[in-house]
Amino acid sequence: MEQLFSSAGFEDVGGGPLYLQLQRRIGEAIAAGRLKPGDSLPPERDMAAMTGLSRVTVRKAVEGLVGSGQLVQKRGSGTFVAQRVERLEQALSLLTSFTEDMARRGKNVESVWLTRGLHAPAPEEVMALGLGAGDRVARLERVRRSDGVPLAIERASLSAAVLPEPEGVEASLYAVLEARGMRPVRAVQRISAANLGARDAELLHVPPGAAGLRIERIGYLPDGRVVEFTRSLYRGDAYDFAVELKLAPDTERKDP
């Protein structure tokens, strides 16, 4: 670590701005494995003393690496090398849960629960779930992690009649619904781009403003009733969603 942040090698002329030189040095150490995911960097004051650079220069270099996703800053803890994130491709033609999708890939799944409970519904929950006056809604909010890396924030809402004890959901929501004979058989899903706010970005270990994918899903039972209203935020650097397209039948095609 001392060699990495040695003052030797910084050039005032010819090497470009000093903050970029420090960025390159740290970035090359990450790429070469000298700095590993989870390793902590010295505090800003210590890096400035070791490199002979100003704290303003060190801060600018670190901010650039946080912005590119190579470093992550945790409030009250410090600056760390970010975990490497494997890009995942998910087909949109199958109605699966996060747990099922990760299991097919042979990955471990865990949830960091933010809230589980029964609440008075918000107007959008009333509309999406078709709730009546006096109905309650079960809300489940959690960070979904795979092999220790946070990939998504999932906020699910269901009628309390469908899920009267949300605290009983430990892993797969769909497994609990299936056991109750209430698993959705089809869904309408909408995907849009989003820039992550400060709280969501902190939960996903990415910088504020990082690109994400907002996914809204409404799930239906065989009889057409809405059973699930879920809003999720996925890391934009971790997910690709794939759709298979087929040529329309001749009877549906028209000449341009």
Side-chain angles (χ1 to χ4, degrees):
M1 189 72 74
E2 291 183 3
Q3 184 177 1
L4 174 62
F5 294 108
S6 166
S7 60
F10 291 105
E11 303 176 17
D12 289 327
V13 179
L18 292 173
Y19 80 92
L20 286 179
Q21 293 183 46
L22 180 57
Q23 272 186 12
R24 284 196 298 269
R25 184 180 290 191
I26 297 173
E28 289 168 359
I30 293 172
R34 295 194 300 276
L35 282 176
K36 295 178 171 50
D39 283 354
S40 62
L41 268 63
E44 178 184 292
R45 178 179 55 199
D46 293 350
M47 278 197 282
M50 288 188 285
T51 58
L53 303 175
S54 71
R55 292 184 65 172
V56 172
T57 298
V58 171
R59 186 178 309 125
K60 192 171 182 180
V62 170
E63 287 175 349
L65 291 166
V66 170
S68 66
Q70 293 172 273
L71 298 178
V72 61
Q73 289 180 316
K74 299 180 182 179
R75 191 178 307 164
S77 299
T79 303
F80 301 84
V81 178
Q83 298 290 335
R84 292 189 178 93
V85 178
E86 174 189 355
R87 290 196 71 88
L88 303 172
E89 182 176 292
Q90 181 173 339
L92 293 177
S93 56
L94 298 175
L95 180 55
T96 60
S97 69
F98 183 90
T99 302
E100 291 167 339
D101 187 48
M102 291 299 114
R104 287 204 312 270
R105 304 171 192 271
K107 294 183 174 294
N108 296 317
V109 177
E110 61 180 309
S111 296
V112 179
W113 286 102
L114 305 176
T115 182
R116 272 179 293 186
L118 297 175
H119 304 271
E124 61 180 341
E125 292 170 323
V126 172
M127 292 292 292
L129 296 170
L131 300 177
D135 286 346
R136 304 275 283 172
V137 66
R139 286 194 199 130
L140 303 99
E141 182 180 11
R142 53 182 166 175
V143 178
R144 308 309 304 268
R145 299 166 63 100
S146 175
D147 292 339
V149 178
L151 296 179
I153 303 169
E154 184 181 89
R155 299 178 172 104
S157 301
L158 304 94
S159 167
V162 171
L163 189 66
E165 297 180 353
E167 296 84 359
V169 178
E170 295 292 341
S172 172
L173 170 61
Y174 278 12
V176 173
L177 293 179
E178 187 166 16
R180 292 178 55 81
M182 304 288 275
R183 177 172 177 146
V185 296
R186 68 180 184 90
V188 174
Q189 193 158 271
R190 292 179 174 86
I191 302 176
S192 58
N195 292 109
L196 300 178
R199 177 176 179 266
D200 290 334
E202 184 175 2
L203 290 172
L204 293 177
H205 296 180
V206 296
L213 291 168
R214 180 181 288 112
I215 301 176
E216 180 181 292
R217 174 186 289 185
I218 297 180
Y220 297 86
L221 294 173
D223 62 7
R225 285 181 296 156
V226 174
V227 68
E228 168 203 12
F229 175 44
T230 297
R231 291 141 296 173
S232 302
L233 279 171
Y234 283 78
R235 288 177 58 151
D237 63 347
Y239 262 85
D240 291 318
F241 289 90
V243 182
E244 181 182 359
L245 303 177
K246 295 181 180 179
L247 190 65
D250 291 342
T251 56
E252 297 181 14
R253 279 186 278 155
K254 296 181 180 179
D255 294 331

